[in-house]
Amino acid sequence: MIKAAATEGDARALAALPATPGRACDVAVVGAGLAGSIAATMLARAGHSVVIIDPHRTYPDDFRCEKFDDGQMAVLKKIGLSDTVTAASTHDRSVWVSLLGHLAEKRPSDQMGFDYGPLVNRLRAELPPSVTQIHGKVTAVANSPDRQSVSISTGETIEARLVVLASGLNNALREQLGIERVDLCRCQSITFGFDMEPLAGASFPFRALTHYGEHPRFRAAYITLFPIGTRMRANFFVYRDLADPWLRAFRDAPEATLSAAMPRLERLTGPFRIVGPVKMRPIDLYETTGYLTPGLVLVGDAFGTACPAGGSGARKALVDVERLCNGHVSRWLATPGMGVEKIASFYADPEKVAHDRRSLALAYSIKAMALDESPIFWARRWMKLALTRVRWAKIAISSAFSRPLAPILDRGIEASAGPSRPRG
């Protein structure tokens, strides 16, 4: 459903009002997390005047995205921020992959692990000097086809031609603007985050590990272990209801509960313990309606969520920001007005639309591969294990003889292996 936040008469009346005292800019970015900070950097580098608004002077500790894969790093390279992210991250270099409790392959990897809060603070510290940073809460946005007025809890008002809403899961501003959240699946998945250590002074035999669920009855998608500095970080993805007593059991006795859910994990890790706090994040899949409104555009989770078990959540936000800032904003600002017809071109951007669709399809397919007990899904799991092992053997043989094997094998593997994310 598409609707405007104001009638044409309301918009004309708003545009006719005298300017509210305050700062004026081309673009006001609401939210200085990952998406907002990147958007502000890109727009400022393009020569636009930018104000970014966020309640926190320093981004707090937050359990969100903790690694980028090679595809996400490619988007960051396109944006021009891959070096900044690399400097704040740890490269895993190689990963073991385990399917159905069996080691399936060891391969090179280009994933980068990081703590989300420090990464965002690094991006904020490297915002271009021309970006004005305001620390306060946005209390209201009055939008029109001409200019937008952003009210802040500090008492200040920002006048902008365009507002980029990068406020994540915060629903208050969306509701005020008539933008409604539509749930596709409540509690699509639950992610746990924690550090792991080997026992008795041992070390893990891998740089990184992805161990997929061993049986649908355990309701686990996979656990991924990857380095952040000197720590081994783990993200564990499960499909449980929030009222499930299993969640409390995991919080109270994480080692025993994890070992029961993945009985063969310790064969690869050796004896381990979970150290530090265990963080939990449930994810609802939702979309928005009423978002097509003058002078305002939504990116990342403000527009719609992705399931982190599918590995596409961060990339969804990165694609949104890259397409908006590289593909649309400069063209919009080159001519008067900021009407719905301009805003609509972003939401219809072919790359954005295609990635949104892939992200949603991946969320459902990863869940089905983890939970479906039908014969066809068991066949797909075992086929994926077999083909992954063939790929591993092919790489080993090619490396040993310094010559590639038949390319047709590559095509057969890629066509038959099923969902390929998350990588690592």
Side-chain angles (χ1 to χ4, degrees):
M1 184 178 78
I2 295 175
K3 64 180 181 180
T7 66
E8 291 185 7
D10 292 337
R12 285 194 297 269
L14 179 61
L17 291 174
T20 305
R23 309 189 202 199
C25 63
D26 292 326
V27 184
V29 179
V30 180
L34 180 68
S37 297
I38 291 175
T41 297
M42 293 182 68
L43 293 170
R45 287 178 177 177
H48 307 305
S49 57
V50 179
V51 172
I52 188 166
I53 309 151
D54 192 274
H56 305 287
R57 289 186 177 273
T58 300
Y59 198 89
D61 182 33
D62 194 8
F63 178 40
R64 298 179 68 85
C65 171
E66 294 189 329
K67 66 175 176 176
F68 290 138
D69 64 20
D70 52 353
Q72 292 156 348
M73 290 301 296
V75 178
L76 285 163
K77 185 174 183 179
K78 189 176 182 181
I79 288 170
L81 287 171
S82 59
D83 289 345
T84 298
V85 171
T86 298
S89 306
T90 304
H91 186 191
D92 64 357
R93 299 199 300 269
S94 65
V95 61
W96 292 11
V97 179
S98 173
L99 299 167
L100 296 173
H102 302 278
L103 183 60
E105 68 173 331
K106 302 176 183 178
R107 57 173 171 77
S109 176
D110 286 320
Q111 295 190 126
M112 308 298 294
F114 52 84
D115 292 310
Y116 184 80
L119 175 63
V120 171
N121 287 322
R122 179 73 173 258
L123 291 168
R124 286 184 177 189
E126 297 190 16
L127 284 167
S130 61
V131 175
T132 299
Q133 300 183 56
I134 296 179
H135 305 294
K137 181 179 180 180
V138 173
T139 57
V141 175
N143 64 311
S144 80
D146 183 32
R147 72 171 185 271
Q148 329 313 323
S149 181
V150 181
S151 300
I152 307 172
S153 58
T154 59
E156 191 168 6
T157 300
I158 304 298
E159 300 291 328
R161 290 194 60 195
L162 174 69
V163 173
V164 176
L165 199 60
S167 52
L169 303 175
N170 189 330
N171 205 38
L173 279 177
R174 288 180 301 186
E175 288 181 344
Q176 180 224 357
L177 290 158
I179 300 168
E180 300 176 358
R181 164 177 162 162
V182 177
D183 288 321
L184 303 176
C185 181
R186 298 299 299 270
C187 199
Q188 162 76 10
S189 66
I190 296 174
T191 307
F192 289 96
F194 46 88
D195 292 349
M196 287 179 60
E197 292 181 352
L199 292 181
S203 60
F204 292 118
F206 45 77
R207 281 283 295 177
L209 167 70
T210 296
H211 183 83
Y212 285 86
E214 298 174 22
H215 194 284
R217 67 174 176 270
F218 297 125
R219 305 193 66 81
Y222 62 94
I223 186 171
T224 178
L225 281 69
F226 53 96
I228 299 180
T230 59
R231 300 151 41 218
M232 182 63 78
R233 187 66 174 167
N235 288 171
F236 182 34
F237 302 90
V238 301
Y239 300 107
R240 299 272 180 171
D241 185 83
L242 282 175
D244 193 329
W246 186 93
L247 300 180
R248 178 174 290 277
F250 190 87
R251 297 290 291 269
D252 292 343
E255 292 96 346
T257 310
L258 175 58
S259 295
M262 293 186 153
R264 297 188 177 189
L265 175 63
E266 197 168 322
R267 296 183 183 183
L268 299 172
T269 63
F272 64 85
R273 63 172 171 266
I274 292 174
V275 295
V278 174
K279 299 181 179 181
M280 184 181 83
R281 187 178 184 88
I283 295 296
D284 298 332
L285 280 185
Y286 66 77
E287 296 178 330
T288 51
T289 62
Y291 54 81
L292 192 55
T293 181
L296 180 82
V297 65
L298 285 69
V299 296
D301 286 345
F303 179 69
T305 48
C307 179
S312 61
R315 187 171 186 181
K316 184 176 184 297
L318 294 174
V319 169
D320 275 1
V321 171
E322 189 279 324
R323 294 314 306 139
L324 176 68
C325 299
N326 276 345
H328 299 278
V329 173
S330 293
R331 187 175 70 252
W332 295 347
L333 293 173
T335 58
M338 198 58 66
V340 167
E341 71 284 351
K342 288 184 175 179
I343 303 301
S345 66
F346 166 68
Y347 295 116
D349 184 281
E351 189 173 341
K352 170 182 166 53
V353 170
H355 187 75
D356 285 349
R357 289 174 177 169
R358 284 196 300 269
S359 176
L360 188 60
L362 189 59
Y364 292 134
S365 68
I366 290 286
K367 190 169 186 175
M369 281 292 284
L371 301 183
D372 197 313
E373 297 196 55
S374 65
I376 189 169
F377 273 88
W378 275 114
R380 287 180 62 184
R381 292 182 190 111
W382 285 106
M383 179 65 72
K384 185 174 183 179
L385 171 60
L387 291 172
T388 302
R389 282 185 161 175
V390 168
R391 178 170 58 196
W392 183 17
K394 178 193 76 76
I395 292 171
I397 294 171
S398 295
S399 177
F401 289 93
S402 300
R403 61 182 177 83
L405 296 184
I408 191 171
L409 183 57
D410 277 336
R411 293 195 295 271
I413 289 170
E414 294 299 328
S416 306
S420 61
R421 291 189 180 274
R423 295 193 58 194

